[in-house]
Amino acid sequence: MGYDHKKIEKKWQDYWIKENFGICDLDSKKAKFYNLCMYPYPSGDLHMGHIRNYTLGDVITRYKLLNGFNVLSPMGWDSFGLPAENAAIQTGVHPREFTETRIEKMKLQIIQLGSIYDWNREIAAHSEDYYKWTQALFINLYENDLAYKGDAPVNWCDSCKTVLANEQVVEGLCERCDSTVRQENLNQWFFRISKYSDELLDSLDTLGDWPDRVKSMQENWIGKSSGAEFDMEIVDTNLKISVFTTRPDTIFGITFAVVSPEHELINEIVDLSTNKKDLNQYIADASTKSEFERLSSKDEKTGVDTGVKVTNPINGKEVPLWIADYVLVNYGTGAIMAVPAHDQRDFDFAKKYKIDIVQVISRDGNLERLDEAYIEEGILVNSEQFNGLKSHKEASNSIIDWLKKEGIGKDLETFRLRDWLISRQRYWGCPIPMIECPSCGLVPEEYINLPVKLPEIEDYLNNEGSPLSKVDEFVKTKCPKCGSEATRETDTMDTFVDSSWYYMRYLFPNSNDFPFDSKTINEWLPVDQYIGGVEHAILHLLYSRFFVKALRDIGLIDISEPFQNLFAQGMINFGGSKMSKSKGNIVSPEAYFDSHGADSLRLYHLFMGPPSDSVEWNDRGIEGTRRFLNKVWDNVHLLSEVKPSSTDNDDTENLLIELNKTIKSVSNDIENFEFNTIVSDLMKFNNSLSDYLKANNDICKESRDSVIANFLCLLYPLAPHISSELLDLNLGSREFDVWPKVNEKYILDKTFELVIQVNGKKRASKIVEYGTSEESSTAFAKELLPQINFEDVKKVIFIDNKLINFVI
């Protein structure tokens, strides 16, 4: 009988749904395990990035179930926001209709993949049952001064016609449409994530198994800096500009100061200037540039001398005050001291505009000709009473102490992280539940009136302002406090607000009385294993961490982190760039479901390289995994037909030894997310089985059944359909009961985990015998890392019974 993947996969998918596979009883006495894949934007079909994510998640779910855990693995839809709305605009279909059609299709594709989820807990961000509680949590944050509305320079995308958070701007471009982002001054809603800067940074060390690169990305984005803040007086006025520096040891080297074009004193500075025309023109030009353009290292810095001078408080010297757009009002104080001798940007600016350069740090205490900024450690010179001190720490501390003693400065810690801008001038989002009353000001909607429903409108394009502002029946309302005529907020929330708490709602998806039960949240969270793309390291993951800490401080929950262990999968590239719907380079899985089968597709995703690495999609790869499954199908049937014997021969003993080695290595590799080596080990065992079948025509029934059951169980999390079918056909069982355990009787030789590194980074591992040679280790590396060009290897470091490292 041939391997008919279409018939087999449909059969088992129907069976798993009928038998409630994946349904979790939260009250079970088994050890709990919350396994979660990031939920998708329903803005198109599934693409291969989704398939990789949900395959990884399903392997863990099935493995943990067989190990006796009570596994919660739910699925839902990130169905509000720009991705779904932009896709709807492109198709001309209303966002609700478009979104719900895509959800239905994507759910079918997930089922076709063979991934099992607790569909009883399915949620969608655009459902009133969900966004009612998003609004309630917003009001909770507002009432605890963690949400506010204020004026600020914001990122504006002309294509999407909405503001974007800093985190949604990539190299000056909108992360959704790649259009240039410019600055606008607008009144917008924010969450006070900056209040948690210290804790978000410090608690990174308390997280479980999080990739170092993700922690580093968050650490850099939060951007903690330590230094000094002091005032510089504008000469002949009572005005002062405040500056912050991380290099107090260079203060004596200030030869000019710079304010941003949006500085709070800019009008007063222009009034004092004799160069008003040039200043006003420069300020106007700066407003058309994006933040990325202004900070880019590629462009030469520009500025205008105001003609005004400020005083360096440490030595009383007057220096010119400039306006330059590379200084941003929403970073630091919006003004900087400039020390060209010891900052390359200041050095280049001073050279361009012929401003003095005064060296105050020297390598050996002697002055020298500077052809570029000297940024190394050294000895203070030209610094009066501080001459001879060693920078950075000794001199900085002494100068900070002096500033504090004289009452003209203080030590300070600052952060790059800014408050989270959540306002969106779009239709397809959660309405912000706030009301503007002429008498009472801003007033939250009463909880009993939630949800503030998103009106069903046909004109949802935001050509001029928010689409909701054009809907009178939505805008006009009554003040909850005084009952007078009032107007609703017409901006909607950033979709990342929805995804900042969705993992909590899964625990109580159908509750009409509360968003979640705190006791259950405290028992089941943080999520034991979270799986998703590394591209969410700053946006979703940072926002979710903030949300949990904020809800903790409000008193709604007791936990402090949302996700204990995080696996950040690498991206699937196609044609040299990340595969995504917005780039139009997706590869749909449906054709492969039909031609090769879901199991072949799953195996290819697992085998194509270490799952944390980004990989290039290649059609030829799936041919190999299909051939492997064909061979498994044939071998298991052939083995079941081998004549039973009363005892095992030496070949059978060796096969059982090989089986138990494979059980040990596969178990180890699943725990360590090394799925490509699992496939390799299963292929190796299947080849051993082929060799055995060629040489033997009888086998003990107990051994035969053990080989079939254990081999199929090892394959089951990876390729569940064919494994279940072969188990049913050959052993008469429709389900696997427990994960295989190593029979130590058959582990006759000592083995160890050979770690395979490239440039010092672990890329794979394999359970091998002690004494494995460098030559054999290299062969294993080539087998497990086919994407590496070993011809580029310059050096091999081999440590017996431990590791092999290839320097490329």
Side-chain angles (χ1 to χ4, degrees), residues 38-311:
M38 294 180 183
Y39 69 171
Y41 298 122
S43 52
D45 290 347
L46 290 186
H47 58 67
M48 290 306 173
H50 294 122
I51 297 298
R52 194 180 202 191
N53 191 336
Y54 305 145
T55 297
L56 296 174
D58 194 54
V59 169
I60 298 301
T61 292
R62 293 179 186 271
Y63 172 73
K64 288 295 182 179
L65 285 170
L66 289 174
N67 278 278
F69 285 89
N70 181 30
V71 180
L72 172 61
S73 180
M75 179 54 69
W77 314 100
D78 199 359
S79 48
F80 261 151
L82 284 174
E85 184 174 331
N86 284 343
I89 290 171
Q90 290 170 6
T91 61
V93 180
H94 191 278
R96 181 177 298 281
E97 180 184 350
F98 178 88
T99 297
E100 292 177 354
T101 300
R102 298 329 304 161
I103 286 174
E104 185 178 344
K105 179 68 178 295
M106 292 176 79
K107 182 174 180 179
L108 175 61
Q109 291 177 313
I110 290 174
I111 292 171
Q112 288 178 300
L113 180 63
S115 294
I116 53 174
Y117 292 102
D118 188 342
W119 290 109
N120 289 345
R121 300 179 182 279
E122 182 180 3
I123 61 172
H126 79 286
S127 163
E128 291 178 12
D129 292 338
Y130 185 87
Y131 74 73
K132 165 184 179 178
W133 299 112
T134 303
Q135 292 173 345
L137 294 174
F138 175 95
I139 294 172
N140 269 273
L141 294 176
Y142 177 77
E143 291 175 339
N144 286 273
D145 196 32
L146 292 171
Y148 68 94
K149 196 174 190 183
D151 292 324
V154 298
N155 305 303
W156 179 265
C157 174
D158 284 315
S159 176
C160 294
K161 294 184 172 63
T162 189
V163 297
L164 303 172
N166 288 337
E167 295 85 347
Q168 290 166 308
V169 181
V170 181
E171 295 188 345
L173 304 178
C174 172
E175 59 128 12
R176 275 285 118 206
C177 70
D178 287 337
S179 297
T180 300
V181 174
R182 60 184 176 85
Q183 298 290 294
E184 287 265 356
N185 280 303
L186 295 174
N187 192 247
Q188 300 287 285
W189 282 98
F190 296 85
F191 285 156
R192 293 192 194 276
I193 190 173
S194 64
K195 178 180 178 181
Y196 291 85
S197 296
D198 251 328
E199 187 183 355
L200 286 167
L201 185 62
D202 293 343
S203 58
L204 283 171
D205 292 334
T206 70
L207 298 172
D209 186 12
W210 275 51
D212 288 339
R213 59 176 171 162
V214 173
K215 290 183 179 180
S216 294
M217 290 166 76
Q218 291 207 2
E219 181 178 352
N220 292 336
W221 191 260
I222 295 167
K224 185 175 182 177
S225 298
S226 299
E229 185 178 79
F230 59 91
D231 292 333
M232 301 182 76
E233 292 186 357
I234 297 178
V235 175
D236 297 328
T237 73
N238 295 321
L239 301 175
K240 298 178 181 179
I241 61 168
S242 180
V243 297
F244 170 79
T245 179
T246 59
R247 297 293 307 274
D249 53 328
T250 67
I251 288 180
F252 282 91
I254 297 173
T255 60
F256 65 106
V258 186
V259 294
S260 75
E262 303 85 6
H263 193 277
E264 62 181 356
L265 294 179
I266 199 65
N267 292 331
E268 289 87 340
I269 292 170
V270 171
D271 287 342
L272 291 168
S273 175
T274 56
N275 195 17
K276 292 182 176 61
K277 182 179 178 181
D278 289 345
L279 289 180
N280 285 324
Q281 184 61 54
Y282 188 83
I283 292 167
D285 291 343
S287 69
T288 67
K289 295 183 180 180
S290 70
E291 184 175 301
F292 177 77
E293 287 178 293
R294 291 170 61 170
L295 293 178
S296 174
S297 59
K298 298 177 183 178
D299 299 326
E300 191 175 44
K301 302 307 175 196
T302 64
V304 178
D305 188 350
T306 66
V308 174
K309 293 188 179 297
V310 292
T311 303

Side-chain angles (χ1 to χ4, degrees), residues 348-392:
D348 294 338
F349 194 90
K351 281 288 188 181
K352 178 178 180 178
Y353 292 107
K354 297 180 173 54
I355 303 172
D356 290 342
I357 297 174
V358 176
Q359 183 180 5
V360 293
I361 297 175
S362 168
R363 184 177 284 103
D364 56 8
N366 296 311
L367 297 178
E368 57 190 286
R369 176 185 172 83
L370 296 178
D371 295 320
E372 61 181 8
Y374 179 76
I375 59 175
E376 305 299 327
E377 289 284 327
I379 299 172
L380 262 64
V381 294
N382 283 331
S383 297
E384 299 181 7
Q385 70 266 38
F386 300 101
N387 284 337
L389 293 180
K390 292 182 178 179
S391 72
H392 168 67

Side-chain angles (χ1 to χ4, degrees), residues 31 61 73 162 234 246 351 424 467 488 514 518 528 643 673:
T61 292
S73 180
T162 189
I234 297 178
T246 59
K351 281 288 188 181
R424 296 295 178 269
R488 290 195 183 280
F514 42 79
S518 298
D528 295 285
K643 185 173 63 176
F673 273 77

